[in-house]
Amino acid sequence: MASTEKQTDSTSPPELSPEAAELQYRDMIQKVARAIAGNRTEDVLPYLGKKYEAKHVEMFIDGNFDKRIDVLIRLMPFVSEDEDFPNFEELAVEFADSQPVAAYEGSSEECDAMLKWLEETQDLTPEQEDTISCQRARYEVERLARENRGAHVRFQELVTIAPTLMPQLDRGDDLTVHLNPITSWSCLKSQKFLDEGEQPPVSVLYYADEEEVRTAMFEPEGQMILERLANIQPCPFSTWRTISDDADAAQLREFVKGLVSLRLIAFS
Amino acid sequence: MMPAIGYAVRRENRFILSDPKLNAAEITFEHADLPLWTKSFISGDDIDYVAIHALKLSVGSPDPPGKAYLDALKAVAIENNATAISDHLGFTRDGEGGIEMGHFAPVPLTQPALDVVCRNLDFVQKYVDPFPFYIETIAYLFQLEGTMSEPEFLKKMFQRTGVGWLLDITNVYANGRNFGFDPKEFVEEVMPYAPRVQMHLAGGFFDEEQGLYFDTHSQPIPDDVWDLYEYSLKLGQGKVDAVFIERDAEFPGEEEWRRELHKMYDLAEGTSSGQATVNS
Ligand SMILES: [Fe+2]
């Protein structure tokens, strides 16, 4: 018994200090993780337990890769379901092969990276560029909502009573105006998402409406009035009206009615 | 003690939250962390025990879990009035400046891995305090070369960290069937060392060609898994806090969702009232 133990000892590598052992561990995890992410089964094999075969590692790598592609397809619906990207899955595979996901990054960063990759590596038509900018604006709305969750929730509560307060504004009461805090502007360059008669470029506002991202298109004048409101809100209606001198009171009230029905502004 | 009984909740089975035999729900963090949501994932339902289940803490990685992820996890736990938080024993990334692999791979069963895992679990438990944290033992297709058995690793981990065990019954069943050990002996060996326990149950399928059981969460729970569940309940009596069924694909009709929930409930009730017998 004792001799067996001794024999084991003599063939074991010398004991490492905890620091050295951790460095060795870090190095191994790095090699294995990168081999798995890079679809290199052979680089995992030196670290594989005795009971296991290359086919087990391969199955794991294939499963991981498939899940990555599924996530890209699911989380980029605007692009993956778009008729201008009929080969989205192939592109997703090419993208996933070309770059791994950086440590600590999640699906949203990966989707952003794929949009960037599409712009950098593909010869995009204006229609495809519009699809990408729509998807990106949607992510931007989600990012803003995540970062300003309190403001998003408060506005969504407020906006439900906006139609009932509208008559007070019509009677001349000076209500405080709140603009939806979760908005992002983008510009459409092609006819793809436009109705007949509309000419690109057109500014589109993406905004959060409860759990959805909605869009609204504006003439340059409307965009300007909204941007002014964004800079001073929440503010009394009268203040907004004063700085919107290019629209008369009746026009502005009509514009406001439209914004209320879009759930873009609220009152208190 | 009767554990809380519930499902991993998703859109397809939300109706079950009002079932009289359900008083627990597990929410996958990624499902609940929806940027535009104005209300919590579990809302207006009278749920005694809510667990938030995470995927990306990667406690086997040499660097600590990301603070942004932990903050978001804790926020979702607070928002949903959660009782506990959990994640998996594995690694999904190498380290800072490195890469993500996607799904978690099993940590090697070695002393340096144990040291790293324990350090990360201490960090996570402190970070998510006052929520108790549970670590799930995963199903694997391979293990890296190790120097100790899995039960040995787990026993030391529980002793050093006091972390809860999320015992996925199907994972143990799959690993045992695929790689030749007795799942009951495994649970028997580890259970005494786990300070508190949650359980998962799910159904997968056996791939004849590969000779492997895959834990796909897409099939009815097999009889052997029910048997191991009952056996584990008995072994863990007094410290099993909650049990959840996971179903992620090929969703059944309402009757089947309820049938499995009720079976899980009835077996737990039988065990806690001392009716069940252990047949090893
Ligand atoms: Fe599980």
Side-chain angles (χ1 to χ4, degrees), chain B:
Chain B
M1 182 187 88
M2 178 78 179
I5 305 283
Y7 259 103
V9 181
R10 47 188 311 133
R11 196 166 41 82
E12 292 82 355
N13 66 359
R14 286 190 77 98
F15 67 88
I16 211 151
L17 290 175
S18 59
D19 191 291
K21 289 194 168 173
L22 180 143
N23 66 339
E26 186 187 80
I27 309 172
T28 297
F29 167 67
E30 275 70 10
H31 291 172
D33 185 37
L34 301 174
L36 297 178
W37 271 50
T38 51
K39 46 189 180 292
S40 56
F41 190 79
I42 297 278
S43 59
D45 302 293
D46 208 13
I47 309 288
D48 296 338
Y49 191 108
V50 174
I52 309 296
H53 193 42
L55 301 167
K56 296 276 168 97
L57 287 173
S58 191
V59 296
S61 295
D63 292 319
K67 287 196 173 167
Y69 189 82
L70 276 163
D71 285 338
L73 188 57
K74 205 170 168 180
V76 166
I78 291 168
E79 199 169 288
N80 288 280
N81 201 10
T83 315
I85 297 177
S86 59
D87 201 330
H88 304 78
L89 180 56
F91 64 100
T92 63
R93 73 180 79 90
D94 51 358
E96 266 175 51
I99 51 98
E100 294 283 342
M101 297 186 301
H103 203 58
F104 28 79
V107 292
L109 303 169
T110 61
Q111 188 60 43
L114 179 69
D115 291 343
V116 161
V117 165
C118 291
R119 187 175 69 208
N120 283 334
L121 286 175
D122 287 342
F123 175 80
V124 169
Q125 291 190 95
K126 230 177 246 158
Y127 209 98
V128 302
D129 184 66
F131 297 102
F133 188 77
Y134 295 74
I135 195 85
E136 175 172 357
T137 36
I138 64 176
Y140 44 79
L141 285 168
F142 66 87
Q143 289 267 24
L144 299 169
E145 175 93 307
T147 53
M148 56 182 109
S149 71
E150 193 178 357
E152 221 178 308
F153 186 97
L154 295 175
K155 286 191 277 189
K156 286 180 178 163
M157 179 188 78
F158 290 130
Q159 280 177 319
R160 278 175 61 175
T161 63
V163 72
W165 186 17
L166 172 42
L167 160 59
D168 187 310
I169 302 284
T170 312
N171 288 350
V172 178
Y173 166 75
N175 293 339
R177 182 165 177 181
N178 292 341
F179 301 113
F181 65 83
D182 181 349
K184 284 186 176 170
E185 275 174 23
F186 179 95
V187 178
E188 227 171 71
E189 201 178 337
V190 180
M191 187 62 90
Y193 294 83
R196 56 187 183 281
V197 179
Q198 291 181 349
M199 290 182 189
H200 274 171
L201 293 173
F205 70 93
F206 185 74
D207 184 324
E208 301 278 350
E209 201 182 315
Q210 301 291 353
L212 292 170
Y213 184 87
F214 287 93
D215 173 38
T216 51
H217 301 183
S218 65
Q219 302 296 317
I221 297 163
D223 287 345
D224 286 347
V225 170
W226 284 118
D227 182 43
L228 183 60
Y229 165 62
E230 198 178 354
Y231 188 75
S232 304
L233 279 174
K234 191 83 185 161
L235 291 170
Q237 215 165 16
K239 61 179 177 183
V240 183
D241 298 325
V243 293
F244 303 100
I245 296 176
E246 302 179 286
R247 183 84 184 225
D248 295 331
E250 296 186 36
F251 302 109
E254 184 174 334
E255 209 176 301
E256 177 64 6
W257 283 109
R258 291 196 196 277
R259 186 190 68 78
E260 291 201 321
L261 176 80
H262 294 175
K263 185 164 182 176
M264 182 166 66
Y265 178 97
D266 293 343
L267 287 170
E269 196 183 37
T271 307
S272 59
S273 63
Q275 287 164 13
T277 48
V278 174
N279 304 306
S280 58

Side-chain angles (χ1 to χ4, degrees), chain A residues 104-118:
Chain A
Y104 297 101
E105 294 209 331
S107 311
S108 44
E109 287 94 347
E110 182 173 21
C111 291
D112 261 341
M114 178 159 172
L115 292 181
K116 199 159 168 246
W117 176 86
L118 284 169

Side-chain angles (χ1 to χ4, degrees), chain A residues 58-76:
Chain A
E58 255 158 42
M59 273 188 271
F60 180 79
I61 290 179
D62 289 349
N64 259 12
F65 192 78
D66 291 348
K67 277 184 201 133
R68 194 175 165 197
I69 302 303
D70 284 348
V71 166
L72 287 170
I73 292 172
R74 194 163 44 80
L75 297 185
M76 304 181 76

